[in-house]
């Protein structure tokens, strides 16, 4: 018996050791109710920011999703199909090319070069915003350069950071139609109010490629949200108060709805299933029982 055991150990010792390894395979077809799923291995979507960006330089706007629930980036290439169900191809190879993101990420071409740049909470943390410039080239592909990790503005006789936080998203748009990007956000001293951070790049330099902001007003639109309410307006033409902390909701959309280049604010409530639309002329207010997912689906189609 001892001889058999010894022979067994010797046999084991001369067998080559093979290590296990795993390889990602995303080409396996998935069929549900006789329908082949288009992107079955892209993973789920929980609470994303959805933005467009040209990932591969082919002139088509692709999709960038940042899931705020699990800090996951997901990217899809636009293949040019006019069929919305077939237009997007999952492209995970671009997901690792983005800079560090915290809490949220929004893409907007601030320097007018046709390439979407990235805004997010700064690595410094707190209430500070960082900006990364999109420096895509055909030879190097998608790459980013940090422009600032402390986006600031003129305020009275001093300078301060443009206030952001991890819960409420700002909005980027050309509010005054002068060609450069402005910012709408919130300040913690103005309950339910929208703060207007005006970019003076055009006025000071005659170009739209700079981030030269000034705190213009804490009461843009002349209305106030109802604090503690489910994304409702508390009052129009109410006094512009400047005291008391507030943490309202997101202003991710500033659509033009009237054809006159005026902007409308569309806050998203992170806790309630309601969406509100308020025009910049403060003449129309509409509260809809629409789940936020409907807006995301609209972006995907």
């Amino acid at each position: 018996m001892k001889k058999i055991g010894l022979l067994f150990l010797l046999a084991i010792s001369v067998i080559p050791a093979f290590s296990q390894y795993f390889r990602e395979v995303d080409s396996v077809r998935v069929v549900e109710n006789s329908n082949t799923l288009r992107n079955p291995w892209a993973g789920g979507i929980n609470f994303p920011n959805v933005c467009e960006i040209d990932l591969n330089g082919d002139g088509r706007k692709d999709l960038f999703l940042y899931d705020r629930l699990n800090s996951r980036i997901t990217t899809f290439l636009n293949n040019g199909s006019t069929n919305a169900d077939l237009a997007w191809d999952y492209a995970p190879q671009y997901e690792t090319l983005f800079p560090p993101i915290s809490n949220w990420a929004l893409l907007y071409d601030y320097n007018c070069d046709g390439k979407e740049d990235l805004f997010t909470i700064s690595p410094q943390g707190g209430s500070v915003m960082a900006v990364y410039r999109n420096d895509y080239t055909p030879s190097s592909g998608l790459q980013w350069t940090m422009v600032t990790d402390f986006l600031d503005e003129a305020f009275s006789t001093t300078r301060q950071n443009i206030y952001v936080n991890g819960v409420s998203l700002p909005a980027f748009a050309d509010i005054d139609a002068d060609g450069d990007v402005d910012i709408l956000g919130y300040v913690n001293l103005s309950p339910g109010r929208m703060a207007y951070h005006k970019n003076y790049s055009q006025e000071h330099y005659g170009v739209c490629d700079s981030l030269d902001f000034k705190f213009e007003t804490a009461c843009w639109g002349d209305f106030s949200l109802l604090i503690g309410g489910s994304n409702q307006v508390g009052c129009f033409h109410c006094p512009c108060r400047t005291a008391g902390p507030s943490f309202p909701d997101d202003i991710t959309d500033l659509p033009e709805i009237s054809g006159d280049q005026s902007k409308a604010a569309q806050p998203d409530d992170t806790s309630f299933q309601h969406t509100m639309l308020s025009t910049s002329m403060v003449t129309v207010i509409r509260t809809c029982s629409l789940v936020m997912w409907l807006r995301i689906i609209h972006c995907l189609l």
Side-chain angles (χ1 to χ4, degrees):
M1 187 66 182
K2 292 182 178 180
K3 293 182 178 179
I4 295 176
L6 181 60
L7 290 174
F8 177 77
L9 291 175
L10 290 173
I12 290 293
S13 65
V14 298
I15 295 176
F18 294 97
S19 60
Q20 293 183 343
Y21 67 94
F22 298 91
R23 179 169 58 92
E24 181 179 354
V25 177
D26 59 4
S27 58
V28 178
R29 288 200 316 144
V30 177
V31 180
E32 181 181 24
N33 297 326
S34 301
N35 296 318
T36 301
L37 301 185
R38 179 67 180 170
N39 294 293
W41 305 109
I45 301 173
N46 299 292
F47 191 22
N49 305 138
V50 182
C51 302
E52 63 178 20
I53 179 176
D54 186 357
L55 294 168
N56 57 356
D58 64 356
R60 301 190 187 105
K61 293 302 182 183
D62 309 305
L63 283 181
F64 163 89
L65 288 78
Y66 177 74
D67 199 323
R68 300 171 69 183
L69 183 67
N70 54 20
S71 302
R72 179 173 181 258
I73 295 174
T74 310
T75 50
F76 295 85
L77 288 179
N78 181 349
N79 59 34
S81 173
T82 56
N83 185 332
D85 294 331
L86 304 176
W88 308 106
D89 296 325
Y90 180 47
Q93 65 269 29
Y94 297 97
E95 296 171 354
T96 59
L97 302 182
F98 286 84
I101 294 174
S102 176
N103 292 283
W104 50 261
L106 295 173
L107 302 180
Y108 190 95
D109 177 18
Y110 82 84
N111 58 351
C112 306
D113 64 353
K115 296 176 286 191
E116 287 77 14
D117 308 297
L118 190 147
F119 297 76
T120 185
I121 296 286
S122 172
Q124 296 188 31
S127 58
V128 181
M129 186 166 16
V131 184
Y132 295 87
R133 186 180 65 240
N134 184 344
D135 287 335
Y136 175 92
T137 64
S139 58
S140 63
L142 187 64
Q143 58 183 2
W144 305 88
T145 300
M146 177 183 282
V147 177
T148 179
D149 62 355
F150 191 92
L151 186 59
D152 67 348
E153 64 184 350
F155 179 77
S156 185
T157 59
T158 185
R159 298 194 68 82
Q160 65 178 12
N161 63 294
I162 295 180
Y163 175 80
V164 290
N165 61 57
V167 178
S168 303
L169 276 68
F172 303 90
D174 185 5
I175 302 297
D176 54 1
D178 66 350
D180 53 27
V181 59
D182 307 301
I183 300 176
L184 285 186
Y186 295 103
V187 290
N188 59 354
L189 297 178
S190 184
R193 295 289 192 169
M194 292 187 182
Y196 174 28
H197 311 275
K198 175 176 167 55
N199 191 350
Y200 278 83
S201 179
Q202 287 284 8
E203 288 82 354
H204 291 169
Y205 313 114
V207 291
C208 61
D209 62 357
S210 298
L211 298 169
D212 185 11
F213 290 99
K214 177 184 177 183
F215 187 88
E216 201 73 6
T217 178
C219 300
W220 181 86
D222 199 20
F223 73 98
S224 178
L225 296 180
L226 182 63
I227 301 301
S230 55
N231 226 351
Q232 300 176 14
V233 168
C235 63
F236 290 112
H237 308 293
C238 37
C240 186
R241 298 190 300 165
T242 58
S246 70
F247 298 96
D249 310 305
D250 306 342
I251 330 173
T252 54
D253 282 348
L254 287 170
E256 176 189 336
I257 62 172
S258 57
D260 61 357
Q261 294 188 331
S262 62
K263 299 296 181 182
Q266 188 174 359
D268 274 346
D269 196 301
T270 58
S271 303
F272 297 90
Q273 295 180 348
H274 295 81
T275 295
M276 183 192 72
L277 177 68
S278 183
T279 67
S280 57
M281 297 302 293
V282 199
T283 56
V284 178
I285 188 70
R286 180 178 302 167
T287 304
C288 307
S289 296
L290 296 177
V291 183
M292 182 184 66
W293 284 104
L294 294 179
R295 296 179 56 222
I296 297 173
I297 293 172
H298 174 73
C299 294
L300 290 173
L301 292 180

